Amino acid sequence: GPVMMGTNWYEAMSRPRGDDRLTVAGEVAGGHAYLLTRYSKARDAVWTPNSWGGEGQGWISRADLVRLLDEDGEACLAINRKMPKS
């Protein structure tokens, strides 16, 4: 399922490159929460549809994702688990 991220958001991440890749470059523009919805083995990157659509939507490489998490970013995912009956 999707992964919810909370990380720094860099200026260049709002403007995808021609290959739809979001790059971690420029100044920190603030923090942002966003979803990762799929992984591409060929790109070694994850896709964020981003709540803004268009701008800020694209592929984030595994290396950039590791960097964002190392900068005190957060990730969480929901699991569907049946609760034990009391």
Side-chain angles (χ1 to χ4, degrees), residues 41-71:
K41 185 176 181 179
R43 294 174 185 255
D44 195 24
V46 290
W47 176 260
T48 178
N50 209 329
S51 58
W52 306 324
E55 291 185 356
Q57 171 176 283
W59 295 99
I60 302 173
S61 72
R62 181 193 308 243
D64 280 347
L65 192 60
V66 167
R67 173 183 168 180
L68 292 166
L69 288 169
D70 283 347
E71 292 175 356

Side-chain angles (χ1 to χ4, degrees), residues 8-82:
N8 288 328
W9 191 262
Y10 286 80
E11 293 169 334
M13 294 173 75
S14 295
R15 295 177 307 279
R17 297 182 342 189
D19 60 356
D20 290 331
R21 188 169 297 266
L22 304 179
T23 55
V24 177
E27 297 294 320
V28 173
H32 186 46
Y34 53 97
L35 285 177
L36 303 178
T37 57
R38 58 188 161 144
Y39 170 74
S40 167
K41 185 176 181 179
R43 294 174 185 255
D44 195 24
V46 290
W47 176 260
T48 178
N50 209 329
S51 58
W52 306 324
E55 291 185 356
Q57 171 176 283
W59 295 99
I60 302 173
S61 72
R62 181 193 308 243
D64 280 347
L65 192 60
V66 167
R67 173 183 168 180
L68 292 166
L69 288 169
D70 283 347
E71 292 175 356
D72 208 22
E74 299 177 326
C76 67
L77 59 117
I79 57 171
N80 187 4
R81 187 175 133 209
K82 292 184 180 181

